[in-house]
Amino acid sequence: MQEIADAGHEIAVHGWAHRPLLLRGPHATYQDLRRARDTIADLTGRAPHWFRPPYGIMTTAAHLSARRLGLTPVLWTTWGEDWTSRATPDSVHRTVTADLHGGGTILLHDSDCTSAPAAWQSTLGALPSLLDHCAANGWQVGPLRDHGLRTIPGETWRAV
């Protein structure tokens, strides 16, 4: 994780356990986010700024916990549906680009934690064509910190 952070990549909180926040109370939500935030900070030497709620579902407890922990929730403007067993590089590309506009935030997955086995390979396979699509439209690809979003703990932001 330190190597990834040192290479300039942003590492954000998605929670410690990938469980729907609707099923968790305020204390469990806070502890889950705190554990993830603190682990990231311990391993990278940098406190994360962003929080993407599992399944994109924010609850009052998640909102209040994020504010207390100095995290800014962020959602996405398009996704690749890359977690399914039927995903292919072409389907991920088509799904993402169908509703992609400059300034958008793309949700893609890089693990099988809660996805179909090896689904991440479709994501990896789609990346070259997605990057080409963005370049052809004159869009720069970069981390959230370059989207012009302000990090205000507890506020939820979506790039548009």
Side-chain angles (χ1 to χ4, degrees):
M1 191 176 279
Q2 181 69 53
E3 185 178 329
I4 292 168
D6 288 347
H9 298 280
E10 286 182 314
I11 301 173
V13 171
H14 191 43
W16 186 260
H18 194 275
R19 294 179 50 213
L21 296 175
L22 287 172
L23 304 176
R24 311 190 89 185
H27 181 72
T29 297
Y30 177 82
Q31 292 302 325
D32 185 82
L33 299 184
R34 183 197 52 76
R35 184 176 182 191
R37 184 208 58 184
D38 291 352
T39 300
I40 291 168
D42 289 346
L43 292 173
T44 66
R46 301 173 186 99
H49 298 289
W50 308 105
F51 162 59
R52 181 173 67 82
Y55 308 100
I57 299 170
M58 278 298 285
T59 62
T60 300
H63 182 77
L64 294 173
S65 295
R67 182 178 290 273
R68 276 182 66 193
L69 294 167
L71 299 169
T72 299
V74 66
L75 298 174
W76 56 90
T77 54
T78 188
W79 61 11
E81 292 185 22
D82 57 342
W83 61 88
T84 68
S85 60
R86 67 184 182 284
T88 66
D90 288 338
S91 73
V92 172
H93 179 269
R94 279 192 314 274
T95 304
V96 167
T97 59
D99 196 29
L100 184 61
H101 306 285
T105 300
I106 302 170
L107 172 64
L108 297 172
H109 296 80
D110 63 354
S111 78
D112 294 341
C113 178
T114 58
S115 301
W120 62 270
Q121 292 176 6
S122 294
T123 304
L124 187 61
L127 283 177
S129 65
L130 289 173
L131 293 171
D132 288 346
H133 178 84
C134 290
N137 283 284
W139 303 329
Q140 293 182 340
V141 176
L144 284 170
R145 69 177 165 262
D146 293 345
H147 277 220
L149 303 176
R150 295 174 291 152
T151 55
I152 300 173
E155 296 292 327
T156 303
W157 292 92
R158 277 176 39 146
V160 292

